[in-house]
């Protein structure tokens, strides 16, 4: 009798930086799959706020309690990375109708080039609805307290960076 195939999902994004909204989606996805890999896009075209190495490290520190979650970075097409890891599913979070249009397009493009990989959408909890990495970046750059929006690792990171005057 063959062993049941492990259900692996990728949660791709920029995570620049990771927020409580992202972690909530990850926690819920981790209950649906055997393994969830947060895949941090090392994007060459989109200028990132934090270096990919720091984005990965901050996630690593925030997901210690989620036993079946891992973090890694990738370059190139998400579906190619998914195939490399054996994942058959992509996880995406939806906050508002404005997310929906872009996410639907992306998902249908992926469907067309990789019919073997599906996208699962999870709707954000209302309390995380307005949280985005962009808003966090803006607030942090003015030295504002962002502890309501991001995990502790990110709060500490910004504190250190602010002391160095690099944000
Ligand atoms: P990308 O650059 O791919 O949009 P992000 O890091 O901004 O990457 O987001 C990754 C995924 O997490 C996306 O599906 C996005 O819609 C979702 N997401 C972002 N913020 C939240 C939030 N506050 N609640 C739920 N999902 C979110």
């Amino acid at each position: 009798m063959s062993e049941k195939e492990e259900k692996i999902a990728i949660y791709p994004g920029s995570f620049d930086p990771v927020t409580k909204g992202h972690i909530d989606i990850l926690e819920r996805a981790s209950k649906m799959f055997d393994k969830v890999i947060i895949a941090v896009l090392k994007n060459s075209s989109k200028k990132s706020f934090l270096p990919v190495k720091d984005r990965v490290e901050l996630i690593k520190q925030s997901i210690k309690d989620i036993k079946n979650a891992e973090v890694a970075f990738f370059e190139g097409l998400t579906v190619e990375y998914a195939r490399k890891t054996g994942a058959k599913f992509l996880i995406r979070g939806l906050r508002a109708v404005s997310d929906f249009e872009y996410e639907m397009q992306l998902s249908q493009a992926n469907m067309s080039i990789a019919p073997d990989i599906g996208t699962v959408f999870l709707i954000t909890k209302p309390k995380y609805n307005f949280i985005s990495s962009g808003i966090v970046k803006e607030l942090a750059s003015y030295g504002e307290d962002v502890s309501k929006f991001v995990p502790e690792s990110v709060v500490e990171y910004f504190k250190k960076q602010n002391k160095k005057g690099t944000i």
Side-chain angles (χ1 to χ4, degrees), residues 8-51:
I8 306 170
I10 296 280
Y11 180 22
S14 311
F15 304 101
D16 190 25
V18 66
T19 68
K20 287 188 177 175
H22 292 134
I23 298 293
D24 174 59
I25 296 288
L26 175 72
E27 272 171 0
R28 285 151 60 198
S30 71
K31 294 184 182 127
M32 301 164 61
F33 296 93
D34 296 317
K35 182 161 95 181
V36 180
I37 304 167
I38 301 199
V40 182
L41 178 63
K42 188 180 173 189
N43 204 331
S44 48
S45 59
K46 203 167 137 188
K47 215 177 155 288
S48 71
F49 177 54
L50 304 181

Side-chain angles (χ1 to χ4, degrees), residues 88-107:
K88 293 272 193 298
F89 304 91
L90 306 179
I91 308 287
R92 296 289 287 177
L94 290 176
R95 281 163 293 186
V97 179
S98 49
D99 276 345
F100 181 78
E101 196 144 308
Y102 169 70
E103 293 292 343
M104 188 172 82
Q105 217 176 20
L106 192 65
S107 158

Side-chain angles (χ1 to χ4, degrees), residues 13 27-28 40 43 59-60 76 81 86 104 108 114 127 162:
E27 272 171 0
R28 285 151 60 198
V40 182
N43 204 331
I59 295 169
K60 201 178 272 173
Y81 182 68
M104 188 172 82
Q108 288 174 336
K127 65 176 174 178
N162 267 326

